[in-house]
Amino acid sequence: MKIRIIMVTLCALFLTGCGVAIKYSLSGASIPPAAKTFSVAYFPNNATMVSPILSTTLTEALVDMFTRRTRLTQVEEGGDFAFEGEIVNYTSTTASVSSDDFALLNRLTITVRVRFTNAVDEKASWQNKTFTAYEDYESTKLLTEVEGTLIPQIVDKLVTDIFQASASNW
C-alpha cells in the first residue's frame, strides 16, 4: 500500500515537474483564442401561443451564460460569436393520463430556432438549428399559475444546449 502511494506521488511530481500542461475548462467551453466578443439579438416569440416573459427571459439567459462562462465581451451586434433566432413553439400538452382517462401531468414545451455565426471559424457556424426542452406540471394547476416557475427552468436547459452546441467541441 505504501509503495502505491509513493508511486502515485512520484508520478504526479514527475508530470508537473516536466512541464506537462493539461488545458481544460470547467465550463466545457472551447472558444478560439481569436474570438473576443459575442452578441445576442432579441429572440422574438413567433409561436402560436405566447408568454409575455419568454423572449426577454431567453435572450437575457443566453447573454448571462456567455458572460459568466466565457472570457468573451458582449457587444450590441456583430460579435465574433453572434446569435439570433426566434421562439417557434410554446405549447402545453397532456403528458400523463390515469387509467380512467384523466390527465395527471401536463407538459410545457418550448422550441427555439437559432442561427449561430462564428466569425473566427466560419465552418463552426450553423443555421436554423432547433433546440427543444420541456417541464411537466400537475394537471390540477393552470399554465398561468406555473409558467413563471417553469419558463426559467426550461430556458436554462435551452441555453445550456445552445452554449454547448456553439462553444464546445462535443
Side-chain angles (χ1 to χ4, degrees):
M1 184 66 171
K2 287 182 182 182
I3 292 175
R4 282 188 186 161
I5 293 172
I6 292 170
M7 292 299 287
V8 169
T9 304
L10 287 175
C11 286
L13 289 173
F14 177 72
L15 288 175
T16 56
C18 291
V20 174
I22 299 171
K23 185 178 177 184
Y24 64 93
S25 167
L26 295 177
S27 69
S30 177
I31 297 174
K36 305 290 184 217
T37 61
F38 76 97
S39 59
V40 178
Y42 183 75
F43 278 67
N45 192 339
N46 295 330
T48 305
M49 195 164 87
V50 176
S51 166
I53 66 168
L54 183 53
S55 290
T56 302
T57 302
L58 176 65
T59 304
E60 289 176 358
L62 192 54
V63 167
D64 185 55
M65 175 71 81
F66 274 84
T67 301
R68 284 185 301 107
R69 296 185 69 182
T70 72
R71 58 173 167 66
L72 301 177
T73 303
Q74 182 186 7
V75 295
E76 284 299 312
E77 57 185 51
D80 296 327
F81 276 31
F83 299 89
E84 57 184 314
E86 59 273 342
I87 298 156
V88 294
N89 184 36
Y90 180 85
T91 56
S92 178
T93 57
T94 302
S96 176
V97 180
S98 68
S99 61
D100 51 354
D101 290 333
F102 287 104
L104 296 174
L105 290 175
N106 289 332
R107 175 170 293 166
L108 177 61
T109 303
I110 301 172
T111 303
V112 296
R113 184 178 304 130
V114 181
R115 291 172 294 284
F116 168 64
T117 303
N118 182 332
V120 175
D121 180 7
E122 278 295 322
K123 292 179 287 181
S125 298
W126 32 265
Q127 298 294 315
N128 297 323
K129 187 177 275 195
T130 58
F131 298 88
T132 301
Y134 65 87
E135 283 291 328
D136 293 340
Y137 63 98
E138 294 176 26
S139 63
T140 57
K141 296 186 178 181
L142 297 173
L143 177 59
T144 54
E145 293 178 88
V146 296
E147 68 184 345
T149 302
L150 297 180
I151 288 174
Q153 293 172 358
I154 297 168
V155 163
D156 185 54
K157 292 176 184 179
L158 291 168
V159 166
T160 298
D161 290 346
I162 295 166
F163 179 84
Q164 289 178 345
S166 60
S168 300
N169 291 328
W170 296 42

